[in-house]
Each structure stands twice: as structure tokens, then as C-alpha cells.
Amino acid sequence: MHYLTMNPTAYFEQLLSALQQEQKEEEQFYMQEISKLSFQERKSKGLLWYPTCLQTEDFYQTDGILATFKKTTSEIYPNGFEVGQLATVVHPNVSKETYVGTVTHLSDATITLHFDMHELPQWFYQGKVGIQQYYDEQNYVKMRQAIHKTIQADKNSPLGHIRELILQSTSPLPYLDVSYLIVPDLNLYQQKSMQDALSCQDVHLIHGPPGTGKTTTLIQIILQLAKTEKQILVTAPSNAAVDNIAEKASQKGIKVLRIGHPSRINQNLYQTLLTTQIQAHPDYKIVKDMLKETENIRKKAFAFKRNFGEKEREERQELLKNAKSLKKEVQKLEKHIKRTILDQAQVICTTLIGCYHPDIAHKTYTTAIIDEATQAIEPATWLPITQAKRVILAGDHHQLPPTVKSIKASKMGLQTTLFEKIHTAYPQKSSMLQVQYRMNAQIVQFSNQQFYHNQIQNEPQIAEHTLSNDVLPAYTLSPKPLVFIDTAGCGFEEVFDEQSKSLYNPQEAALLEKVYTLLVQNLKIPISIGVISPYSAQIAYIKTCIPSNKHTEIDTIDAFQGREKDAIFISLVRSNSKQEIGFLSDIRRMNVALTRAKKHLVVIGDSATLSTHSFYANFMEYIHTIDAYQSAWEWL
């Protein structure tokens, strides 16, 4: 049954079922990959660091303890941890109470966790312990809460109207006939998108292809809203996306409050954190003085007495009663400070899941803005919608979709975003940004043809940017903005890595290293460089060939979404006699890859394998049209 023919109950029941499948997949992974595996097997899959020992502990900038654990052997095994994820400390022989922390820092030999506690348990200090990935179901709990709230909403309420709008059971509200300030910094398409967003009464989409200034437009919308609305909610699926917009809004003088775990937030935004602002509040000195007095009273109560009788017991009880009363006053004052800060913020920035953070879950807003909405599964998108009268969604459905682990959940529709559904049902509710300020014209043109119906226009000066002024004449690929190096016929076969279940191509990596080195050796000045590939195993292999440095970043295509560099090198990896291309057939991933470079893009791949897919056949045709083809034989 198509979602447009469903009643609200059936539609959201299917959405809940898909969400349940996704949670089940994640739980099964956790159970199978962690609980049922030996310590050694968990290590080999990158799910556990063992053995480690507690190296240092320190109080965090805001609250809690930072504990750094260090590997005690030189054994090499995969690292599956990321900054921001949850982890727990474990012991191989003893069942202990679970202590969950957030990863704040990673190196080859150390991992640092933040714990929301004032004292670490004693067994952390005793011998060898392990650091293990931790499964947390709270995100799913919050998404289900949002869906149930949406189901139960009165259809005449703003939330009920948006719900019925999605199901095409009602008509969109008309845009208000209001003229807003003309912003000189915006082009005509950005200006129209801002006007439409400010004039909408229910939902508006801002479609922002690569390099078209989506964030710039959103910041101007926030500046305009801040003049008339008490508070605005700004969200995105990832902390990185939230930090990006929060930092830019803060730089414009907007009073930003960033909600989230401090360890997952850019250090440039610490001054916007709730805990930081509480401690900076003028009344917090009183809180600190009262806490110190409470501690002195407790120390006095438990001070050693040679003779301890009934009188001394009564004195202790009276002192503890005073300490408890004082602590209540402290909590009351802290609550007042927190409420003041929450009320005074112009913009509250948090992730989609963070919208239901205990400190702000009760809040309602006139407007909610969801950036990178095309990277969010639908249940998560409903969280901010349940708190606002209208919503502005920004993104690009021609770039990477949200990550869905369960194939069954994906088939049930979980990978189709709310942005896409609204865009399909109500094209009039969407405005597209059409001038790009990132890439040379040759770099953007193929994506423009394939995804954007040639609607993207190039800012004239940017369109001519090349590396000509950045490199010496000896760099033979300059000033070509785009080059495809074809490995067909060279015997560069892909290899399956059993451990990571990913693919790599060592000979293609060696060729990439050669081309990359040529560029670096001929640079007049440092430029930003990205080396990317769709496969994590290839990235791991390339990192063994190319030394890390502050000007070069090496990562997967998925990790580069929303990023840009002066020069980008892409290794496509796939080269096999069966002409299989795997998930490269999701051409949105390639759209992301092809649109990261500003001045220079080098793509390396096997045309014989790739061209069995029409998208890559078209790409090869484009490459020949602009005379950007080279054979790998020229480099061997």
C-alpha cells in the first residue's frame, strides 16, 4: 500500500514497524558482535580495546571526569571507535556494574572517555580493563515518542495539519503576502528561498545542491526570524552539521544556546553550552560559595571525635540537616539560573534527537529549522516538528541518504526521507538554490547534467578557478580541473578484506600515491587536499601509503559529505571480471564525491568495470568530451 493511500494510523504504524526493524538490526549486531564473542574476537572486529590501563583522570571543563586509558601492549587490531559514541569499561573475568562514558579523544594508543560522575569506581584502577562499544536504545525511545505524539495530535493543531499534509489529506496553507528586507549578500535564488521560508505557514523546503550557499541562506533566515520570534529551534541529524550552523549564527551576534554532550561538540562552541553559560552566570558565584559551605558542614559533621555519645550524635544529625537544607537551596538557585539562560537564548541548536533533551523537551517554538534533512530518517525528523508551528527543511535529496542498517527497514520505506516525500507531493513547497560558489565549471557540469537538469549556474570567477597559480609548471596535470585516469587493462584487481568485509585495490592506491606525490612536490604554496574512496578498506590501505599531514585529509566519500577541498583524489576501487560495482550503483554517493573539489579533481578507476552502469558510461562520455582522459599506462 502506498503511503498516500494510508490513513494516519496505518502510515505511522508502518513507520514504527520499520523503526523497530532498524532497532532490532542494531541490537542483534550488538548482541552478536559483542555479547557472544570472546574478548579476542571483539578486538579483531574493532569493538574492544584490551588490555588497557587507566593512565590519567581529570575534571572536565564543565562537569564529570575525563578518564584516559592506554593500551598496555603493542598488539595491532582494528579501531571501530569514533569520537562522540558511547563506550563502557569492562573486565574479562568479573561481572561489574556498567559504567558508560562518551569517547572524547582517540589516538593509536589511547582513548579518553567522559563520565558523568564525580569519582571513578576503584576497580578502574586495578589491573587491566577493556573499553568496549555500548548499545543505547534511548534514541529509538525518543523517536517512538515523537511518532505517538504526532498520531495523537488534533488535526486542527499545527502538528496535526503537517501530519495530514504529508498524507495529502489536506491542502497546504497559503504563503503570507509579506515583503521582507532585501539582503545584499544573497543572490536572487537565495533571496527567494529566504522569502518563501519566512512567508510559509506550515512547511517549506530549501533544496541546496553542492556549493550553492545553503548555510548562508539559513543564517539569513535565522537573523530575520530573531527580529520577530522569541526563540528559534535549529536542528540537524549530526553534531557536525549543528555545530556548523551554530558557530556561524553565533558569529553574527545571535545569542545561541547549544544543547548536547560537551564531548560531541566543537570546542569553539563551549561558550554556547548550557553548562558553560550556567557557570558564567553572575549568580553562580553564590552557588559555588554555598556548595563550599555545604562541604565544610559535612566535614565538620564527620570530624573525628575521641568521645562520641548521644550529644555528639545529635550535633552530627543537626549539621547534616543543615547541609541537606543548604543543598536544596543550591539546587533551587541552579534551577533558576538554568531557566533564565534557557529563556534568554534566541536560537537553541541541537541534534534531532537532542530536541527531546530533558532541559528543552517541554519547549515549543513558532519555527523549527532542520538542516541536512535529507540525511535524517523520517522518525527522527518528526522530533522537532512536534515542537513547532511551522518547519523549514533544508538539504539535497541527490546526495547521500540517511544510513539505514536493516535491509528490511529500508524496503519498508525508512530510507525515504520526509524531505523527499514533501518534495514529490508538493513541488511548489520547495525553492532551489541555483548559483554555485565552490567548483570550477568543468568539475560541476557532469553532476549538473545528471542530477539538476542543468539548472545550476556558476559564479563567473569561481567557474574559472584552477591550480595554475598554486603549482609549478612541472605539474603536468595543471591547469586541468578534471582528470580521469583509467586503469582498464592494467590488471589492477580489487581485493576483498575478510576482517573489515570491505574492498581495497592496492595497485590503484599505489597509482594514486604517485599522482598525489607529483602534485605535492610541485606546490608553490600549501593547499587543502582530500583523498577519498567509497570503501573503508581502501582508505585504510591508502593511509599506509600516504603519510598524514595537516594539509591532506583521507577518508570515505560518506565522511566528506558537506566538505570541500582545493584538490580531491578519488579511488573508485572496483575492478573485476564480473564487472560488478556494488554500492557504487547508488549514484548519489558519486555525486557527493564529484562535487567536493574546488579547483582540481582526479578520479582513478577501471572504465571497463564501471561503464556497465549507465551513469558511469555517461561519465566516461563526458570525460572524453572535455579531453580529460588519461590511461594509467602513461603513469606506469
Side-chain angles (χ1 to χ4, degrees), residues 42-92:
R42 293 179 216 177
K43 284 166 61 177
S44 68
K45 291 179 177 288
L47 306 172
L48 172 73
W49 280 30
Y50 181 82
T52 71
C53 66
L54 183 63
Q55 184 185 38
T56 61
E57 59 176 308
D58 199 1
F59 289 106
Y60 199 53
Q61 289 162 303
T62 50
D63 194 18
I65 292 177
L66 282 176
T68 298
F69 297 85
K70 184 177 182 180
K71 290 179 181 177
T72 57
T73 69
S74 58
E75 183 183 3
I76 298 173
Y77 43 84
N79 172 30
F81 289 88
E82 294 178 359
V83 171
Q85 77 175 108
L86 297 178
T88 183
V89 183
V90 296
H91 193 282

Side-chain angles (χ1 to χ4, degrees), residues 128-142:
K128 298 170 182 177
V129 295
I131 310 300
Q132 182 172 281
Q133 289 188 18
Y134 180 77
Y135 172 73
D136 182 11
E137 69 165 6
Q138 282 306 302
N139 290 356
Y140 289 98
V141 171
K142 291 175 181 178

Side-chain angles (χ1 to χ4, degrees), residues 528-548:
S528 60
I529 302 173
V531 178
I532 62 179
S533 174
Y535 294 96
S536 58
Q538 182 74 340
I539 290 301
Y541 190 88
I542 289 170
K543 285 181 176 179
T544 67
C545 306
I546 297 176
S548 59

Side-chain angles (χ1 to χ4, degrees), residues 5-21:
T5 64
M6 294 180 181
N7 61 47
T9 304
Y11 174 81
F12 286 105
E13 278 181 356
Q14 177 160 320
L15 197 58
L16 285 167
S17 296
L19 189 63
Q20 186 178 9
Q21 286 295 328

